[in-house]
Amino acid sequence: MAVDPMDPAPEYLAFWRERHLCTLTTPRPDGTPHVVPVGVTYEPETGIARVISDKSSRKVANVLAAGPDGARVAVCQVDRRRWATLEGRARIRTEQEAVDGAVRRYTERYGRTPAPNPDRVVIEITLDRALGRA
């Protein structure tokens, strides 16, 4: 079922506020999908989803390899019959303010502060599509 990523139904947004492990799918340089477990935060007010990561990870390399326009990616979460997918264009953010904001949002959603990491970056996804059944 299609969802407006900037104006989701209350139950869809509530599902994204619950603590769930998610997946991030990025395209490898050869075009095949790379799927990994991640924590995701979703902000419909800005149309942005965020994933924190180490700058040396394969998922970050895949986004960077896509070039300056970023990579087309998807994040997804599933809980029994409920599921939600967010899609959009990902870019890597390295500014400390962006990283700190993403860590704060992660802490709010997941109830724990990630260990300090001087090599942390943010995969910031500008959303243009959402699907799901919450």
Side-chain angles (χ1 to χ4, degrees), residues 34-105:
H34 178 255
V35 183
V36 293
V38 294
V40 176
T41 61
Y42 168 39
E43 205 172 74
E45 309 81 35
T46 60
I48 294 176
R50 293 174 179 85
V51 174
I52 57 176
S53 181
D54 190 279
K55 69 181 181 183
S56 66
S57 72
R58 168 51 47 198
K59 57 188 166 286
V60 169
N62 288 343
V63 172
L64 291 172
D69 291 336
R72 183 99 185 130
V73 305
V75 291
C76 182
Q77 66 181 19
V78 177
D79 180 40
R80 299 177 192 203
R81 295 181 60 125
R82 298 183 305 159
W83 62 276
T85 300
L86 300 170
E87 299 178 20
R89 181 94 23 209
R91 292 176 183 83
I92 304 303
R93 300 282 306 272
T94 59
E95 307 88 346
Q96 194 60 51
E97 182 178 332
V99 173
D100 291 346
V103 168
R104 179 182 49 77
R105 289 174 181 89

Side-chain angles (χ1 to χ4, degrees), residues 1-18 20 40 42-44 49 75-77 82-87 109 127-134:
M1 163 191 308
V3 175
D4 181 347
M6 302 286 284
D7 188 25
E11 58 275 1
Y12 189 84
L13 183 56
F15 184 44
W16 276 104
R17 298 288 187 247
E18 296 171 10
H20 292 285
V40 176
Y42 168 39
E43 205 172 74
V75 291
C76 182
Q77 66 181 19
R82 298 183 305 159
W83 62 276
T85 300
L86 300 170
E87 299 178 20
R109 180 172 189 203
L127 303 171
D128 58 24
R129 187 173 185 197
L131 303 165
R133 189 174 101 186

